[in-house]
Amino acid sequence: MNIGQASKQCGISSKMIRYYEQIGLLGTAKRSASGYRIYSEQDLKTLSFLKHARDLGFSSEQMKELLSLWRNTGRQSAEVKQLTLQHIETLNQKIAQLQDMVNWLQSSADHCPGDHQADCVILKDIEQGK
């Protein structure tokens, strides 16, 4: 299967597939006689795994670790759980930060008359970092 077909099947752009190869998340693809990348069934499984991990917000470094654990049938599930719990904590921190931003913006919007006047409390709050 060529890169375009792999991209379509896995839902990952060709550019991202090449990037995954470049950073070592995906092994270097075999090449056809004409130089096109050829992907195996295992490559497609790996790409699918990477897509799902990325969709869950794992970083490239975390995905390297997850791939290593996924490929290692002698692993202990405790390792996977530890990595996952750390990721959950990071996501919860991001959620809290996003909620703080929403609250801040909502407060500014609540104090803005939203009329035809040029004076804008939202822009002033952003300027002052309130």
Side-chain angles (χ1 to χ4, degrees), residues 93-107 130:
Q93 290 171 1
K94 287 181 182 181
I95 289 168
Q97 290 171 341
L98 289 170
Q99 190 59 57
D100 287 345
M101 286 186 247
V102 167
N103 293 341
W104 188 90
L105 289 168
Q106 187 64 59
S107 176
K130 289 186 177 180

Side-chain angles (χ1 to χ4, degrees), residues 86-98:
Q86 290 170 345
H87 184 58
I88 290 169
E89 180 58 32
T90 300
L91 291 174
N92 281 325
Q93 290 171 1
K94 287 181 182 181
I95 289 168
Q97 290 171 341
L98 289 170

Side-chain angles (χ1 to χ4, degrees), residues 1-19:
M1 179 171 297
N2 68 33
I3 196 167
Q5 294 165 325
S7 171
K8 194 172 197 174
Q9 183 169 330
C10 297
I12 300 174
S13 70
S14 298
K15 184 176 180 179
M16 187 60 76
I17 293 172
R18 287 189 290 273
Y19 175 71

Side-chain angles (χ1 to χ4, degrees), residues 65-102:
E65 194 171 343
L66 283 171
L67 270 175
S68 175
L69 291 166
W70 180 58
R71 291 175 175 150
N72 177 5
T73 57
R75 71 183 170 273
Q76 295 183 359
S77 64
E79 296 173 81
V80 181
K81 184 174 182 174
Q82 179 183 6
L83 178 64
T84 301
L85 290 174
Q86 290 170 345
H87 184 58
I88 290 169
E89 180 58 32
T90 300
L91 291 174
N92 281 325
Q93 290 171 1
K94 287 181 182 181
I95 289 168
Q97 290 171 341
L98 289 170
Q99 190 59 57
D100 287 345
M101 286 186 247
V102 167

Side-chain angles (χ1 to χ4, degrees), residues 26-129:
L26 184 65
T28 303
K30 294 179 181 175
R31 300 282 182 152
S32 68
S34 56
Y36 291 104
R37 288 176 168 88
I38 303 289
Y39 295 95
S40 68
E41 271 305 309
Q42 187 57 46
D43 292 331
L44 296 176
K45 286 180 185 178
T46 300
L47 286 168
S48 182
F49 183 89
L50 291 170
K51 175 166 183 0
H52 296 141
R54 177 63 74 195
D55 289 347
L56 291 169
F58 285 100
S59 68
S60 295
E61 281 304 311
Q62 290 171 317
M63 290 192 314
K64 280 183 184 180
E65 194 171 343
L66 283 171
L67 270 175
S68 175
L69 291 166
W70 180 58
R71 291 175 175 150
N72 177 5
T73 57
R75 71 183 170 273
Q76 295 183 359
S77 64
E79 296 173 81
V80 181
K81 184 174 182 174
Q82 179 183 6
L83 178 64
T84 301
L85 290 174
Q86 290 170 345
H87 184 58
I88 290 169
E89 180 58 32
T90 300
L91 291 174
N92 281 325
Q93 290 171 1
K94 287 181 182 181
I95 289 168
Q97 290 171 341
L98 289 170
Q99 190 59 57
D100 287 345
M101 286 186 247
V102 167
N103 293 341
W104 188 90
L105 289 168
Q106 187 64 59
S107 176
S108 286
D110 290 346
H111 292 95
C112 177
D115 56 18
H116 64 282
Q117 299 293 323
D119 188 41
C120 181
V121 70
I122 298 169
L123 295 176
K124 285 181 183 177
D125 285 352
I126 292 171
E127 175 187 355
Q128 296 172 2

